[in-house]
Amino acid sequence: MKIINPTTEEVIKELAISTPSDVKKAVDKAKESFESWSKLDISKRIEIIKKFQALLKKNKKDFAKLISTEMGKCVIEAEGEIDATLGDIDYFISETPKAIKDEDLDIGLDKVSAKISYEPIGVIGMITPWNFPLDTPIWKIVPGLLTGNTIIFKPSELSTLSGIRIGELLEEAGLPKNVFNVIIGEAKTGKALVESEVNMISFTGSSEVGKKVLSGSGQSLKKTVMELGGSDPFIVFKDAIIEQSVNAALFGRFLNCGQVCTAAKRIFVQKEIFDEFVSTFVDKVKKLRVGDPLDSNTEIGPIVSKEQLVNLEKQVKDAINKGAKSLCGGKRLSRKGYFYEPTVLVNIKENMTVFREEVFGPVASLIPFDSIEEAIKLANDTKYGLGASVWSQDEKVLDKVAKSIQSGMVWLNDFGTPYQQCPQGGIKESGLGRELSTYGIREFCNMKTVVKSRDKTIKQPWWFPY
Ligand code: NAD
């Protein structure tokens, strides 16, 4: 498998792909190591994760450079991703022991007690995308390990070197052999993992692939968590603070070169302020600094791969052919690398792919609306239901939209901040299950109900003989 630097189009490494038989071997070994790892006291597991965290901190600059070279993220954002990950690990270290503590249940009887105990599931297959090569895997790996599971991890083919680096740092931190193994490859390797004897699949990626993974996992009824694509609405009402909402929309749409699951993919602005919003927004988009992602002044790097660039070009062409107008950008840059100009489109119609599909790149679609009802209708007119961002100074408007939006998450006068205490995940074709938060940690556990009677004369009236 060739690893290509999207800035230079050069092959930076060639790697051997893990075959289905390699995957089977890795799963068998992970099953064996589960016995001892799951029985280890959580304090010992925490010690190893703390060492891993310290190593990540020590290697921050190099890791950020690796991410930037491998998938084109601006180095400044890659360093930000590492800082966010370090904070996420702090959260998992402090919250996991609480989240998996036995929970007593009140069933209203004197002589019968009941509780839930949270036990590890076994071997977990983890499959991730490339857009956050460190943080997305860590949302799975760290709680997965702390709750006592063993893991087979398949990073995206476009962020494999970062995935391998995670494995090396865990090993250096003292993680016992075969508790965590990285497998390398594309769809075929992922499919082999889904069809293997792992007990759970935790998947982050596109909805299209998510459906295949879900149906593959269903053949042996594996537990799954699915964090999938989105086409999040960003809704701005006429009383919003324009400068603030423009800045949030700019960040929301162009962060990571527009390659974020919860990006502001459809920006709806109330008619009264539409023109002012658009002109302020376009001015700022024109000032975004496009260039080498390793330069710390760069704000927009390349798209991750040629395939993704071609898909983006097709989406914009489809919009233009159906009557959209490009106010800036609209084409790839004439230089080496998979660069696309930051683009703003207006005159968007609901039959355009930029409205119907997920747009993964630096292309903003701005759409006017009349009333709160129309904003809600347009926002919900999608197969996705990941997040939403709403801007207004009117509490009633915010409450009404928050209740009516079909999504797993809504940010009111904020954009996309993944607070660790808040569950992260979507509905509709954006996913199943949650990450982060107590709920996300418990996804990696079997919720076992334990009922105990102390009644020596117990004989329930429904037992034989009637
Ligand atoms: P993708 O679906 O193409 O690939 C994701 C992973 O699945 C990769 O590791 C890939 O090799 C693997 N894969 C591909 N085919 C497979 C198969 N048949 N069986 C098993 N595994 C298979 O997605 P991508 O292009 O890497 O990432 C972008 C997508 O991820 C976007 O849709 C984005 O919205 C989504 N995403 C979602 C979240 C979230 O939290 N909801 C976060 C980040 C990214």
Side-chain angles (χ1 to χ4, degrees):
M1 191 172 79
K2 289 188 170 70
I3 309 290
I4 295 170
N5 177 338
T7 309
T8 61
E9 299 182 39
E10 281 163 6
V11 175
I12 46 177
K13 193 129 193 156
E14 289 195 41
L15 297 166
I17 284 178
S18 310
T19 62
S21 111
D22 294 333
V23 175
K24 187 183 179 314
K25 268 185 222 151
V27 174
D28 288 345
K29 284 183 187 156
K31 270 194 218 166
E32 283 168 32
S33 58
F34 176 74
E35 284 307 310
S36 51
W37 179 250
S38 59
K39 287 192 180 76
L40 197 69
D41 193 78
I42 188 162
S43 61
K44 297 270 184 278
R45 298 200 286 257
I46 286 176
E47 261 174 44
I48 295 171
I49 295 301
K50 278 188 177 161
K51 279 191 197 142
F52 167 72
Q53 188 189 33
L55 285 167
L56 199 54
K57 207 169 175 179
K58 194 173 135 204
N59 289 280
K60 178 174 150 180
K61 293 270 172 203
D62 285 348
F63 207 144
K65 242 169 120 178
L66 176 69
I67 292 175
S68 195
T69 311
E70 184 177 35
M71 55 65 72
K73 187 182 296 254
C74 295
V75 74
I76 209 88
E77 288 183 5
E79 286 179 16
E81 180 177 342
I82 297 172
D83 288 338
T85 305
L86 294 170
D88 294 342
I89 296 173
D90 274 336
Y91 171 78
F92 290 128
I93 287 172
S94 81
E95 287 310 303
T96 306
K98 291 181 229 164
I100 63 172
K101 227 173 144 226
D102 284 358
E103 200 178 330
D104 289 328
L105 299 173
D106 184 0
I107 53 172
L109 297 172
D110 287 342
K111 290 187 173 169
V112 185
S113 61
K115 67 172 184 178
I116 299 171
S117 57
Y118 294 94
E119 298 182 345
I121 286 182
V123 185
I124 304 184
M126 299 183 172
I127 302 175
T128 57
W130 45 268
N131 57 341
F132 289 88
L134 174 68
D135 208 17
T136 299
I138 291 304
W139 284 9
K140 304 177 188 301
I141 294 167
V142 169
L145 289 175
L146 288 178
T147 47
N149 300 281
T150 56
I151 292 167
I152 308 295
F153 170 45
K154 196 202 86 62
S156 163
E157 54 274 32
L158 300 171
S159 62
T160 305
L161 300 180
S162 304
I164 291 173
R165 192 76 189 115
I166 293 173
E168 287 168 353
L169 294 180
L170 280 168
E171 194 182 338
E172 209 180 319
L175 195 69
K177 237 177 150 22
N178 295 319
V179 168
F180 178 86
N181 267 321
V182 183
I183 54 169
I184 292 166
E186 306 165 330
K188 209 171 156 197
T189 312
K191 189 167 179 280
L193 183 60
V194 169
E195 290 168 359
S196 73
E197 289 184 7
V198 296
N199 306 95
M200 169 181 175
I201 292 287
S202 174
F203 176 83
T204 302
S206 63
S207 305
E208 194 193 343
V209 174
K211 286 177 196 173
K212 291 184 196 164
V213 170
L214 195 56
S215 99
S217 309
Q219 299 311 306
S220 52
L221 287 176
K222 291 183 179 78
K223 174 170 183 180
T224 55
V225 168
M226 295 276 145
E227 299 291 338
L228 308 178
S231 183
D232 289 5
F234 185 103
I235 309 170
V236 188
F237 285 91
K238 61 183 178 202
D239 65 335
I241 302 165
I242 296 198
E243 184 70 14
Q244 187 189 31
S245 55
V246 166
N247 286 337
L250 192 76
F251 173 75
R253 183 56 281 207
F254 293 98
L255 167 73
N256 204 23
C257 195
Q259 305 167 115
V260 179
C261 54
T262 50
K265 298 200 179 105
R266 296 172 300 140
I267 302 170
F268 300 104
V269 184
Q270 202 154 20
K271 277 201 173 118
E272 289 84 340
I273 58 160
F274 187 74
D275 290 344
E276 187 186 349
F277 187 99
V278 171
S279 79
T280 320
F281 187 77
V282 170
D283 283 349
K284 289 183 189 252
V285 172
K286 283 181 179 163
K287 289 190 189 124
L288 287 170
R289 291 178 298 229
V290 183
D292 181 353
L294 285 172
D295 178 342
S296 56
N297 287 314
T298 300
E299 290 159 334
I300 304 284
I303 301 280
V304 70
S305 68
K306 193 169 179 181
E307 197 188 341
Q308 299 272 355
L309 175 65
V310 169
N311 192 39
L312 186 70
E313 281 180 310
K314 267 194 211 146
Q315 289 174 321
V316 174
K317 267 191 198 134
D318 169 80
I320 300 289
N321 288 343
K322 290 177 181 159
K325 197 173 147 202
S326 162
L327 300 182
C328 63
K331 58 181 189 320
R332 39 178 316 187
L333 257 74
S334 51
R335 58 169 283 175
K336 227 181 175 33
Y338 310 131
F339 288 87
Y340 197 85
E341 289 179 344
T343 300
V344 179
L345 298 176
V346 290
N347 295 353
I348 304 293
K349 295 189 193 74
E350 285 151 78
N351 66 345
M352 295 175 179
T353 50
V354 290
F355 192 101
R356 301 246 71 86
E357 289 178 3
E358 181 173 35
V359 178
F360 235 53
V363 175
S365 297
L366 273 61
I367 304 151
F369 68 88
D370 259 323
S371 60
I372 185 166
E373 288 74 22
E374 193 193 0
I376 292 166
K377 188 168 168 279
L378 284 167
N380 287 339
D381 183 12
T382 170
K383 62 184 176 187
Y384 296 109
L386 193 56
S389 176
V390 190
W391 297 78
S392 166
Q393 297 188 69
D394 185 335
E395 292 282 330
K396 282 199 188 117
V397 169
L398 293 176
D399 286 349
K400 180 164 178 179
V401 182
K403 280 200 187 96
S404 315
I405 288 280
Q406 297 159 353
S407 68
M409 302 166 284
V410 184
W411 286 269
L412 307 175
N413 293 326
D414 191 5
F415 167 80
T417 318
Y419 293 108
Q420 295 127 350
Q421 297 79 359
C422 302
Q424 176 92 8
I427 59 166
K428 292 159 79 176
E429 291 195 13
S430 290
L432 301 168
R434 292 295 179 263
E435 290 193 326
L436 290 182
S437 78
T438 300
Y439 302 97
I441 294 170
R442 288 179 178 166
E443 294 278 14
F444 297 107
C445 299
N446 169 24
M447 194 195 275
K448 184 183 270 178
T449 299
V450 182
V451 177
K452 185 165 39 178
S453 171
R454 286 177 307 280
D455 183 351
K456 293 197 172 124
T457 59
I458 190 168
K459 182 180 177 298
Q460 303 286 11
W462 49 86
W463 290 0
F464 299 126
Y466 293 109

